[in-house]
Short mmCIF file of all heavy atoms in Angstrom, two decimals:
data_model
loop_
_atom_site.label_atom_id
_atom_site.label_comp_id
_atom_site.label_asym_id
_atom_site.label_seq_id
_atom_site.Cartn_x
_atom_site.Cartn_y
_atom_site.Cartn_z
N LEU A 86 -20.94 -14.81 -23.37
CA LEU A 86 -19.89 -14.35 -22.45
C LEU A 86 -19.20 -13.10 -23.02
O LEU A 86 -18.93 -12.14 -22.28
CB LEU A 86 -18.87 -15.47 -22.19
CG LEU A 86 -17.70 -15.13 -21.26
CD1 LEU A 86 -18.20 -14.63 -19.90
CD2 LEU A 86 -16.78 -16.33 -21.06
N LEU A 123 -19.74 -21.59 -20.45
CA LEU A 123 -19.44 -21.33 -19.04
C LEU A 123 -20.68 -21.60 -18.20
O LEU A 123 -21.73 -21.02 -18.45
CB LEU A 123 -18.99 -19.86 -18.88
CG LEU A 123 -18.31 -19.44 -17.58
CD1 LEU A 123 -16.96 -20.15 -17.40
CD2 LEU A 123 -18.09 -17.93 -17.55
N MET A 130 -16.71 -18.46 -10.34
CA MET A 130 -15.26 -18.58 -10.14
C MET A 130 -14.50 -17.46 -10.84
O MET A 130 -13.54 -16.91 -10.31
CB MET A 130 -14.76 -19.95 -10.60
CG MET A 130 -15.08 -21.06 -9.61
SD MET A 130 -14.54 -22.68 -10.18
CE MET A 130 -12.80 -22.58 -9.84
N LEU A 147 4.49 -4.12 -13.45
CA LEU A 147 5.04 -2.79 -13.71
C LEU A 147 4.34 -2.16 -14.91
O LEU A 147 4.85 -2.18 -16.03
CB LEU A 147 6.54 -2.92 -13.97
CG LEU A 147 7.35 -1.64 -13.86
CD1 LEU A 147 7.36 -1.11 -12.44
CD2 LEU A 147 8.77 -1.89 -14.33
N TYR A 159 8.79 10.60 -9.13
CA TYR A 159 8.06 9.44 -8.61
C TYR A 159 7.65 9.66 -7.16
O TYR A 159 8.36 10.32 -6.39
CB TYR A 159 8.95 8.18 -8.66
CG TYR A 159 9.39 7.82 -10.05
CD1 TYR A 159 10.51 8.41 -10.62
CD2 TYR A 159 8.67 6.89 -10.82
CE1 TYR A 159 10.92 8.10 -11.91
CE2 TYR A 159 9.08 6.58 -12.12
CZ TYR A 159 10.19 7.19 -12.65
OH TYR A 159 10.58 6.89 -13.93
N SER A 242 18.30 6.37 4.78
CA SER A 242 18.52 7.63 5.49
C SER A 242 19.28 7.35 6.78
O SER A 242 18.75 6.72 7.68
CB SER A 242 17.18 8.28 5.84
OG SER A 242 16.47 8.59 4.68
N CYS A 247 27.39 9.52 15.61
CA CYS A 247 28.57 8.78 16.09
C CYS A 247 29.82 9.66 16.15
O CYS A 247 29.96 10.63 15.42
CB CYS A 247 28.84 7.59 15.17
SG CYS A 247 27.59 6.30 15.29
N GLN A 266 27.14 -3.54 -3.78
CA GLN A 266 25.76 -3.04 -3.74
C GLN A 266 25.72 -1.57 -3.31
O GLN A 266 24.76 -0.87 -3.58
CB GLN A 266 24.93 -3.85 -2.73
CG GLN A 266 24.41 -5.16 -3.27
CD GLN A 266 23.40 -5.76 -2.31
OE1 GLN A 266 23.63 -5.82 -1.11
NE2 GLN A 266 22.28 -6.19 -2.84
N SER A 296 21.41 8.17 2.68
CA SER A 296 21.30 9.60 2.96
C SER A 296 21.58 9.91 4.42
O SER A 296 21.22 9.13 5.29
CB SER A 296 19.89 10.08 2.59
OG SER A 296 18.92 9.26 3.17
N GLU A 300 24.35 15.00 11.90
CA GLU A 300 25.13 16.21 12.00
C GLU A 300 26.41 16.08 11.21
O GLU A 300 26.92 15.00 11.00
CB GLU A 300 25.41 16.49 13.46
CG GLU A 300 24.09 16.61 14.22
CD GLU A 300 24.28 16.64 15.72
OE1 GLU A 300 25.35 17.06 16.15
OE2 GLU A 300 23.36 16.24 16.42
N SER A 339 23.76 18.29 6.43
CA SER A 339 24.95 17.60 5.91
C SER A 339 25.26 18.17 4.54
O SER A 339 24.39 18.74 3.91
CB SER A 339 24.68 16.11 5.76
OG SER A 339 23.76 15.68 6.69
N SER A 370 19.10 22.90 4.03
CA SER A 370 17.99 23.35 4.87
C SER A 370 17.10 24.24 4.02
O SER A 370 17.58 25.04 3.22
CB SER A 370 18.50 24.08 6.10
OG SER A 370 19.35 25.12 5.72
N SER A 373 13.10 28.98 1.52
CA SER A 373 11.96 29.38 0.69
C SER A 373 12.13 28.73 -0.68
O SER A 373 13.24 28.33 -1.06
CB SER A 373 11.91 30.91 0.52
OG SER A 373 12.97 31.32 -0.33
N GLU A 376 14.54 30.84 -2.83
CA GLU A 376 15.97 30.61 -2.57
C GLU A 376 16.42 29.26 -3.12
O GLU A 376 17.50 29.14 -3.70
CB GLU A 376 16.25 30.67 -1.06
CG GLU A 376 17.75 30.64 -0.81
CD GLU A 376 18.10 30.50 0.65
OE1 GLU A 376 18.13 31.52 1.34
OE2 GLU A 376 18.34 29.35 1.09
N PRO A 418 7.17 12.72 10.38
CA PRO A 418 6.12 12.97 11.38
C PRO A 418 6.56 13.92 12.48
O PRO A 418 7.75 14.00 12.80
CB PRO A 418 5.82 11.58 11.97
CG PRO A 418 6.46 10.60 11.06
CD PRO A 418 7.60 11.32 10.40
N SER A 419 5.60 14.59 13.07
CA SER A 419 5.85 15.49 14.20
C SER A 419 6.47 14.71 15.36
O SER A 419 6.12 13.56 15.62
CB SER A 419 4.52 16.09 14.66
OG SER A 419 4.59 16.49 16.01
N GLY A 420 7.39 15.38 16.09
CA GLY A 420 8.01 14.77 17.27
C GLY A 420 7.01 14.51 18.38
O GLY A 420 7.29 13.76 19.32
N ASN A 544 -27.47 -8.47 11.89
CA ASN A 544 -27.12 -9.89 12.12
C ASN A 544 -26.86 -10.71 10.86
O ASN A 544 -27.43 -11.77 10.67
CB ASN A 544 -28.26 -10.58 12.90
CG ASN A 544 -28.31 -10.08 14.32
OD1 ASN A 544 -27.31 -9.61 14.85
ND2 ASN A 544 -29.47 -10.16 14.94
N LEU A 566 -7.43 8.29 -4.30
CA LEU A 566 -7.40 6.92 -3.77
C LEU A 566 -8.80 6.61 -3.24
O LEU A 566 -9.44 7.47 -2.63
CB LEU A 566 -6.38 6.79 -2.63
CG LEU A 566 -4.91 6.86 -3.03
CD1 LEU A 566 -4.04 7.06 -1.81
CD2 LEU A 566 -4.48 5.59 -3.75
N ALA A 591 -6.86 5.09 -10.68
CA ALA A 591 -6.29 4.64 -11.96
C ALA A 591 -6.28 3.12 -12.09
O ALA A 591 -6.19 2.59 -13.20
CB ALA A 591 -4.87 5.17 -12.12
N LYS A 594 -11.07 -1.36 -12.16
CA LYS A 594 -11.70 -1.96 -13.34
C LYS A 594 -13.21 -1.74 -13.23
O LYS A 594 -13.80 -2.04 -12.18
CB LYS A 594 -11.44 -3.46 -13.38
CG LYS A 594 -10.05 -3.83 -13.84
CD LYS A 594 -9.85 -3.71 -15.34
CE LYS A 594 -10.24 -4.96 -16.07
NZ LYS A 594 -9.96 -4.86 -17.51
N LYS A 605 -6.81 -5.18 9.37
CA LYS A 605 -6.31 -3.88 9.84
C LYS A 605 -4.84 -3.66 9.48
O LYS A 605 -4.41 -2.56 9.18
CB LYS A 605 -6.49 -3.79 11.36
CG LYS A 605 -6.56 -2.38 11.86
CD LYS A 605 -7.07 -2.31 13.29
CE LYS A 605 -7.57 -0.90 13.58
NZ LYS A 605 -8.77 -0.83 14.36
N SER A 613 -13.30 -13.38 2.61
CA SER A 613 -14.10 -12.17 2.84
C SER A 613 -14.02 -11.21 1.65
O SER A 613 -12.93 -10.85 1.22
CB SER A 613 -13.62 -11.44 4.09
OG SER A 613 -13.67 -12.32 5.18
#
Side-chain angles (χ1 to χ4, degrees):
L86 179 56
L123 194 65
M130 283 178 77
L147 197 66
Y159 299 85
S242 298
C247 291
Q266 278 191 313
S296 51
E300 302 170 27
S339 330
S370 54
S373 72
E376 188 188 276
S419 156
N544 290 336
L566 289 166
K594 283 283 272 184
K605 203 166 200 140
S613 303

